[in-house]
Amino acid sequence: MSIPEHRGPAWPIVMRRELTAKLTDKAFLIGTLGSLVILVGYFGYVTFTATKSQSYAVGVTAADRATAATLVTRAKGIDATTTITLTEVPDAAGAKAGLDDERLDAWLHQQPSGWTLTSRDGSDALATILGQAISAEVLADQATRLGTSPEELLKSTRLTQAYLIGDAEKAGLAKGVGFAFAFLFYLAALMYGITIAQSVVEEKQSRIVEIIAAAIPIRHLLAGKILGNSILALGQVLLYAVVGLVGMSLAGYGKYLGVISGPMAWFVAFFIVGFVALASLWAVAGSLASRTEDVQATSGPLTILVMLVLFSGLFATGTVREVLSFVPPTSIVAMPMRVVEGAVPISQVLLSLGLLVAFAAVTITVGERLYRRSLLKTQGRVSLRAAWSSTD
Amino acid sequence: MLQITELTRRFGEVTAVDRVSFTVPPGLTGFVGGNGAGKTTTMRMVMGVLGIDEGEVTWQGAPITSADRRRFGYMPEERGLYPKQGVVDQLGYLGQLKGMTRAAARETVMAHLERFGLADRAKEKVEKLSLGNQQRVQIIAAVMAEPICLILDEPFSGLDPSAMDSMADLLREHTSTGVPVLFSSHQLDLVDRLCDRLVVLARGRVVAAGSSEELRSTGPSRYRLVLDGDAGWVRDLRGLHVVDVDGPTAILEVEEPGAEQALLTEALGRGAVHELSPIRPSLADIYREVTA
């Protein structure tokens, strides 16, 4: 019997195993599904509250009824989701009684100085919309008397905002999206980083690594491991991002999708390079340990590094942040966050990405050497110095 | 043929393997030695998973390459497999790493599982198997890709007698096609029974090597004498070293060739002789002697 042989690099075989091992792991699948449920639930809630209609029962006396009715019509034109129902009350005492037993949400009555809205504890949304309706009504009234239109009257008073950085809502959204990016990277880097370290030490502890090392170059083992986990991490993050974007458009933020998708592409680019750069270091952290229990100690510095990346992205401001957005690995988060918040010249983004690629090249080279040299040392923890200076 | 020449490995101040030389010709070679004698270290150097300080390993007369090693079957000391992966899946994976196609690897794995009576547990996770069964899976990992040489570290430890027999059969199958097999063991009787050759290691050095017949013949030949009466008189004979006398029984070592014939003549002259027989030293005796 002769065995059909497959000739080709070994890393795709390793990569495939990493993928299938994870994709058939119940804990992983349940975790992913759980996160999706939370994400969908959140956007469902936002969509629900945004489109939910509000209705108010407002009491008026017979004298105010006609004027109030025109105000309600105006209010309807200002915000269609708010419904105001007028209920006639005999007098002030009757209105108070209606408020007390909660038949009424408010009592609207006209006084010489203007309108008064009385409610149990104040209703801002109702007061705002009625206030706008009253201004509009009065303005229209005055304009008619002057023989002109409200638009003519207000023409020279109009303040048009020109946005240099972006309007406030967009800025808030940018901030939110930036935070989401930063956290996604943080979670993915940490979760998959620890997964890589654990899987390295699992192979080392069980000595299966000796069988593998005798069969294929250790370089291929490392490459397959990093690629497999990078694909998984990116796939998971993209899944969340797509669900997030769909959710945003359903929740009424659809007009911002165009604004966000550009930075999103940069985020993905920085994420891929940044993840790969750190992944080889996580593999080293795993290879320095001999038992699963040691991983926490050997990966401690990396955990701190990943947190540093997160915090620099979230909290650094001004010049510090600009500098950090070029320095790997903090640039992984800081640069895409700058991009999403406003105009960063494309040359700067490319420079930062280039520096990150160079950084990744260094960590992979150094990581490969450390990994190769410490992987087969199975007695106790290996110090970085020992791993670096040893001869295989 | 696998040849190991002047192989040396130091760990800090300790020389774990000290200029070790031996050959592994086609057939079974037992690798014997106490704990810390350097067996595992030597095997790991042969497999290239541990650096070599001095010396060299050659395969078919040329320095061994990683392509050669890829075709070796290797079973490390501590049983290593992915505990959380199914039996077929991970054996198939290891087969693919050794250059087999997915389908061929699967087919060979199933045939081997069948043979060890593990076919119905093919999908089970390795951690669910008993230690003995894990070891069977481990040996399948070593032999599945038609290895050109087998390096097995303690393949028999922890196996029950019937598993030992099927393991021995499997190894003989491979040696019958001219594959050199080097396996380490603590069980001297087993090595004695199975091996064509053995290499004894003590404190990092080879203290004896050869077929068990060769090893036996290196020691002094001993005889056991049983008489009717007291055997105390044997102490007066020349050319013999008396190891022990107990009433009518004596254990003697022949120092001058032919002295045993003189002994017999003398003994017959004194009365009845019930027994005069050479004592075949057990491998354990030899081992104790060479490692002492």
Side-chain angles (χ1 to χ4, degrees), chain A residues 244-266:
Chain A
L245 288 177
V246 170
M248 272 178 66
S249 62
L250 288 180
Y253 294 102
K255 55 184 165 170
Y256 295 111
L257 285 188
V259 180
I260 286 170
S261 52
M264 192 81 102
W266 283 118

Side-chain angles (χ1 to χ4, degrees), chain A residues 1-11 13-18 20-21 26 199 202-203 205-217 221 225 375-379 391-392, chain B residues 9 11 44 47-53 66 69-71 74-85 90 93-94 96-102 104-105 107-108 138 141 144-146:
Chain A
M1 183 178 80
S2 106
I3 295 172
E5 281 192 19
H6 162 84
R7 281 280 165 235
W11 63 262
I13 304 169
V14 178
M15 186 182 83
R16 202 161 46 229
R17 196 202 91 86
E18 291 290 324
T20 41
K26 281 201 190 82
S199 95
E202 182 195 32
E203 285 169 356
Q205 192 169 14
S206 71
R207 307 290 169 110
I208 196 170
V209 71
E210 295 195 0
I211 301 177
I212 297 173
I216 62 168
L221 180 61
K225 209 173 264 302
L375 190 60
L376 296 165
K377 297 196 195 324
T378 43
Q379 262 100 45
T391 52
D392 293 299
Chain B
R9 173 71 198 203
F11 292 108
R44 294 181 76 206
M47 287 315 295
V49 297
L50 186 69
I52 296 170
D53 286 343
S66 44
R69 286 179 174 128
R70 197 178 190 201
R71 302 210 52 204
Y74 174 48
M75 180 167 175
E77 183 187 22
E78 274 152 86
R79 308 292 165 247
L81 291 166
Y82 292 106
K84 304 229 178 279
Q85 200 178 12
Q90 69 179 300
Y93 171 61
L94 293 174
Q96 280 181 278
L97 290 184
K98 283 187 168 278
M100 298 168 84
T101 64
R102 207 184 166 96
E107 199 178 315
T108 316
Q138 185 84 44
M144 62 184 284
E146 289 192 0

